[in-house]
Amino acid sequence: ALVAGVCVVAVAVPAAVTVTRETGGGDIATVVTASPTPFEDRFRDPTPIGKRLTIDNPSEDRPLSLWYARAKDGAVVLCRRYTSRAGGGTESCGEGPVIDGTESTDQGSTESFPPPVTGKVLHYGTAQAGIARVVAVLKEGARVTGTLRTPQGAPQAVWTVTVPAGEPVTAFEFMDGEGKTVERIERRPAMFPEADAEPAGSTVKMPGDLDVGLYETPDRSLIWKLEGRAVAMHGLSPGEPLVDMGGRPMKVQLREHGDRWFGITGPGTARVVLVLGDGTTVSAATRPEPWKAGGFRMFAGTQRHTDDVYAEGFKLIGYDRDGTELWRESHAPTR
């Protein structure tokens, strides 16, 4: 999932994923090719099989839907609808393998860089008939038991396991009703090149004990860290950092982590004001970026009123040095 404008993250998804399309809300964007290909046509509007399973996504505190569908070539696949904290949503379907009731599969996770703000990652997949229990085996040896659910009319069960962010899963084990392991899926933990990258130049200390630096991995990114741990990232487009995934100009890009709110804005903005859903107003002064990476300005502040500004809705207002309002953005509640 590529999230632009409000949040940009790298998300771990299944090894093979079909076409993803924008479904409205927030600032979710997807990569779209110029013309359809046979691969895309195969998964265009697959036919649902049974009802959707809608659960809470612990990585976003928003709903996540999973359901079976039949592709145009007859293959049965697992599809998902993902909703972000910012309110956007994408739908995608796994390419395979064909789900025929004789095997269990690992279909993906919500792993991301930076890690989810909630500190939790969801893994999910399909379970063959007779599976009564699924367990995630963590890198350090701990084991976490998951949940099995079978949506009405579905060909088999859907399993989910929630684990702490930053604790890689090395395998999933599937047991029958007597507790015997009948299947084991080895898993290579997701790798994010940004996680071990070194900054290209000096970092800048910002309010709220945040540090921000420019990274090239190889694309340019602005990564915010708290006590040495990455908490947010901006992808910087060549020549113009303040554009969305569609290339449209933006006034501001906001990030949030707990009670911290921060981001980047244009060179003319001297102060950014955050107006929360309850009317509370907080302000942050901006400072220029030192890397000559597009002339944007950075800001950071704290607020003690909510740990999810998107849920209640908010406004952002930018002012110049003389206190004249330059721009204003309103964000409706997403929950």
Side-chain angles (χ1 to χ4, degrees):
L2 301 177
V3 186
V6 179
C7 182
V8 177
V9 295
V11 180
V13 295
V17 178
T18 68
V19 177
T20 300
R21 61 180 182 272
E22 183 174 354
T23 58
D27 290 295
I28 297 294
T30 59
V31 178
V32 181
T33 56
S35 59
T37 66
F39 174 79
E40 290 175 328
D41 289 341
R42 177 189 175 201
F43 293 99
R44 188 181 299 279
D45 299 323
T47 304
I49 304 174
K51 292 187 175 182
R52 295 190 178 201
L53 170 66
T54 299
I55 60 175
D56 179 65
N57 176 4
S59 296
E60 298 286 331
D61 281 334
R62 301 294 188 274
L64 172 71
S65 294
L66 300 165
W67 69 97
Y68 288 96
R70 190 177 303 279
K72 294 190 181 303
D73 64 356
V76 177
V77 296
L78 187 72
C79 302
R80 78 169 191 173
R81 187 185 192 282
Y82 181 94
T83 302
S84 74
R85 287 163 66 88
T90 58
E91 290 186 5
S92 62
C93 297
E95 182 183 7
V98 174
I99 300 168
D100 58 8
T102 61
E103 61 183 345
S104 301
T105 66
D106 172 14
Q107 291 287 310
S109 78
T110 59
E111 286 182 287
S112 65
F113 179 86
V117 67
T118 61
K120 299 177 182 179
V121 169
L122 179 77
H123 296 263
Y124 58 92
T126 67
Q128 61 173 301
I131 297 299
R133 185 172 175 234
V134 58
V135 172
V137 182
L138 305 186
K139 185 177 182 180
E140 301 302 323
R143 300 166 67 85
V144 180
T145 299
T147 301
L148 289 157
R149 305 176 181 88
T150 304
Q152 183 178 351
Q156 55 186 16
V158 174
W159 62 263
T160 59
V161 182
T162 299
V163 301
E167 296 194 22
V169 175
T170 60
F172 298 105
E173 294 182 347
F174 300 86
M175 293 84 168
D176 60 18
E178 297 179 354
K180 178 183 177 181
T181 299
V182 297
E183 193 169 359
R184 179 183 171 96
I185 298 177
E186 301 292 338
R187 182 179 185 275
R188 180 178 297 178
M191 302 297 292
F192 300 103
E194 299 90 347
D196 299 317
E198 294 294 328
S202 61
T203 58
V204 178
K205 290 192 175 297
M206 297 290 289
D209 297 322
L210 292 164
D211 294 288
V212 59
L214 182 70
Y215 293 76
E216 297 176 352
T217 56
D219 296 331
R220 294 190 313 167
S221 300
L222 200 66
I223 298 179
W224 299 76
K225 293 186 177 182
L226 177 64
E227 298 178 348
R229 180 170 54 92
V231 295
M233 181 174 71
H234 298 273
L236 301 178
S237 300
E240 177 51 70
L242 279 164
V243 295
D244 65 15
M245 295 302 296
R248 295 178 293 268
M250 303 175 65
K251 299 298 185 184
V252 63
Q253 291 186 16
L254 177 70
R255 305 291 184 264
E256 48 89 32
H257 183 82
D259 59 1
R260 294 166 173 83
W261 61 285
F262 47 94
I264 61 176
T265 185
T269 303
R271 184 165 58 95
V272 177
V273 172
L274 170 66
V275 183
L276 299 171
D278 64 358
T280 300
T281 298
V282 289
S283 176
T286 68
R287 63 180 64 177
E289 55 92 0
W291 310 285
K292 297 181 180 179
F296 58 86
R297 296 180 70 88
M298 306 175 296
F299 61 90
T302 58
Q303 52 83 21
R304 300 285 191 270
H305 297 268
T306 178
D307 60 359
D308 189 344
V309 296
Y310 299 108
E312 302 172 14
F314 61 94
K315 294 179 182 178
L316 285 171
I317 308 172
Y319 295 89
D320 67 11
R321 226 174 256 256
D322 298 325
T324 301
E325 181 176 322
L326 298 176
W327 51 263
R328 175 184 294 249
E329 288 190 355
S330 296
H331 297 259
T334 61
R335 189 174 62 192

